[in-house]
Amino acid sequence: MDMGHGGAGEAHGERTRAERLTEGLVVAVASALSFGLLAALAAVFGTTAWRTATDTGTTAFSRFVVPTILLALVLLPLVPARAVFRSGRRKGRERLTAAVPAALALLGGCVVPFAALCLLLVCAD
């Protein structure tokens, strides 16, 4: 990734410390935001699943299905992030370089269900 800076000691494909630091910060911030959104979804969905499972008059089928669907919705954003990371690794990229698009995919995947949840909460009243 020589971007024309061409120092005497830099080999072609070697990244600078600033590039590695930037990639690390992007991964850290995107991961923290993603897991914060996932924690919020898990808390709301967990509460909903608990109320459904303990509510009187709830069928055994819905006691099983509702928590399963809600768990799948929380875990769903991890699937495309893993695929993006593995794709980057197959292309021969370093672990940190492959993690940047994966972390951004995870963040994007978390925003969609969180926005849907917010929309449901706003429109439910």
Side-chain angles (χ1 to χ4, degrees):
M1 294 185 140
D2 187 16
M3 304 216 180
H5 301 104
E10 288 187 33
H12 181 67
E14 186 177 319
R15 297 173 320 160
T16 65
R17 182 176 181 190
E19 288 173 327
R20 289 192 309 270
L21 180 65
T22 303
E23 288 176 347
L25 285 173
V26 167
V27 169
V29 169
S31 297
L33 288 173
S34 300
F35 288 116
L37 291 175
L38 281 176
L41 286 171
V44 171
F45 289 161
T47 304
T48 304
W50 177 259
R51 289 186 65 202
T52 301
T54 58
D55 194 18
T56 57
T58 305
T59 64
F61 178 74
S62 62
R63 286 183 183 178
F64 173 75
V65 171
V66 170
T68 304
I69 291 172
L70 297 178
L71 180 64
L73 287 173
V74 170
L75 295 178
L76 189 63
L78 298 173
V79 174
R82 182 173 185 259
V84 169
F85 180 73
R86 289 176 56 108
S87 172
R89 292 294 288 162
R90 274 194 298 266
K91 292 179 182 176
R93 294 184 182 146
E94 292 181 20
R95 187 176 281 278
L96 184 60
T97 304
V100 172
L104 294 175
L106 179 62
L107 181 60
C110 293
V111 167
V112 172
F114 188 78
L117 175 67
C118 291
L119 189 63
L120 282 172
L121 292 175
V122 168
C123 294
D125 289 335

